[in-house]
Amino acid sequence: MIIFGTKGYLYQLAILTLVCGQCGNPAAHTLRKRVTKFTLFFVPLFPISTKYLTQCTFCGAEQKVTKEQAEQLQTQSAGDQGGQPYGQPEQQHRF
């Protein structure tokens, strides 16, 4: 008898401040990496698929991003540029 299947892993790569494409609010977004691995006898062997996504903490909407976009967002977060939104530019408020 051979037991095989898949198992999903979710990695949080960064937390970014972006303008949400769904609700339009400038809010924190989590950048996540979802990896599905093939398992044999409950031992994960190799990745089958890898997907990157951002999730708005305000409304919960998820948006898929490419690997290149995810790497760019991650380097922006590491460099503390902290205001470069993805998608739409953040509105500047004058007081």
Side-chain angles (χ1 to χ4, degrees):
M1 178 188 295
I2 297 176
I3 301 172
F4 64 93
T6 60
K7 183 171 181 176
Y9 296 89
L10 191 61
Y11 302 99
Q12 183 170 319
L13 303 176
I15 298 178
L16 310 159
T17 302
L18 307 172
V19 175
C20 181
Q22 182 74 22
C23 65
N25 290 314
H29 285 66
T30 56
L31 177 62
R32 297 180 176 169
K33 176 180 173 181
R34 183 176 294 158
V35 180
T36 304
K37 293 186 179 184
F38 176 79
T39 61
L40 183 64
F41 294 106
F42 305 105
V43 177
L45 296 178
F46 54 88
I48 295 174
S49 73
T50 303
K51 297 177 183 176
Y52 295 89
L53 54 99
T54 59
Q55 184 177 19
C56 177
T57 58
F58 189 79
C59 69
E62 290 184 348
Q63 181 178 4
K64 292 182 183 179
V65 294
T66 64
K67 180 179 180 179
E68 293 79 19
Q69 290 171 332
E71 289 172 353
Q72 182 182 18
L73 289 170
Q74 198 170 5
T75 56
Q76 285 179 358
S77 131
D80 282 334
Q81 293 178 357
Q84 294 294 5
Y86 170 74
Q88 302 172 351
E90 188 173 338
Q91 297 286 331
Q92 295 292 331
H93 299 286
R94 296 183 182 173
F95 296 104

